[in-house]
Amino acid sequence: MAQAGYRAVRELVSILAEPAGGVEQELLEIAHSRGVDAHAAAASVIQQNASPELLDKTGLPTYPALHVSCERVSNELREKFRSFSGTVGLAIEVRVTHDRLEGLEEQLHACVDAVTAVLDRNRGTWPQGMFFSGAYEVAFSAAKRGGRNYVQTARVRLSVDVSM
């Protein structure tokens, strides 16, 4: 049931993009405390699964960007009389760009810290029969050409239990 994945992605996007307590507010606090470039606080949360290379070719993407997508849906039928009771695997790909390599990784780590702080605050029950345990995994990739000369990404993976 792909609808469970779509609902979970939509809920995660609304949590991350929330004006009070979302990623932008967290990034501002991190930027001030660490002395990171403050323009990194204008992160855009996008419900899309597309490679950075593809987005660079289609136009000028905004950076830093958080691309939220569903990676897998598993209906395990754990509960009787439910049409769906299982897990939805979600991914948040954090993308940053910089004209030099020096500030790139620092900016990426600040964005990832902001995302994980928001996830930590939103453990527990989500609307529409969803539950987030608080567990996540972060994988960092190497910097490469793209964006404003260089682009680097990190992927935050999490699972949400869904009962519908």
Side-chain angles (χ1 to χ4, degrees):
M1 175 178 268
Q3 185 181 18
Y6 178 74
R7 284 182 179 180
V9 167
R10 225 176 50 217
E11 183 60 32
L12 183 57
V13 166
S14 70
I15 288 170
L16 293 172
E18 189 176 313
V23 172
E24 284 193 25
Q25 180 185 356
E26 195 66 39
L27 272 173
L28 278 174
E29 293 174 13
I30 290 172
H32 291 304
S33 67
R34 295 185 192 174
V36 179
D37 193 6
H39 86 277
S44 59
V45 181
I46 303 163
Q47 184 175 334
Q48 187 175 48
N49 190 5
S51 71
E53 296 84 16
L54 180 64
L55 291 175
D56 282 343
K57 289 180 183 178
T58 60
L60 294 172
T62 54
Y63 288 99
L66 307 174
H67 289 263
V68 181
S69 62
C70 178
E71 288 188 327
R72 61 179 165 55
V73 176
S74 177
N75 189 359
E76 299 159 1
L77 296 174
R78 289 187 230 149
E79 299 176 41
K80 283 185 175 182
F81 310 113
R82 296 282 182 171
S83 61
F84 185 93
S85 59
T87 58
V88 174
L90 301 176
I92 306 164
E93 189 164 282
V94 181
R95 299 175 184 170
V96 296
T97 187
H98 204 274
D99 54 352
R100 291 183 286 147
L101 283 172
E102 287 81 34
L104 191 64
E105 193 160 349
E106 182 178 281
Q107 187 180 4
L108 180 65
H109 282 276
C111 288
V112 169
D113 286 345
V115 168
T116 56
V118 171
L119 290 175
D120 288 341
R121 275 198 310 270
N122 286 283
R123 289 180 183 163
T125 304
W126 290 2
Q128 300 178 354
M130 292 182 265
F131 181 81
F132 173 55
S133 68
Y136 52 81
E137 175 185 305
V138 181
F140 294 93
S141 68
K144 55 186 170 183
R145 288 291 225 183
R148 292 184 327 186
N149 285 346
Y150 301 103
V151 67
Q152 191 170 8
T153 62
R155 186 175 277 277
V156 181
R157 288 187 171 100
L158 58 127
S159 290
V160 176
D161 294 322
V162 179
S163 177
M164 297 176 15

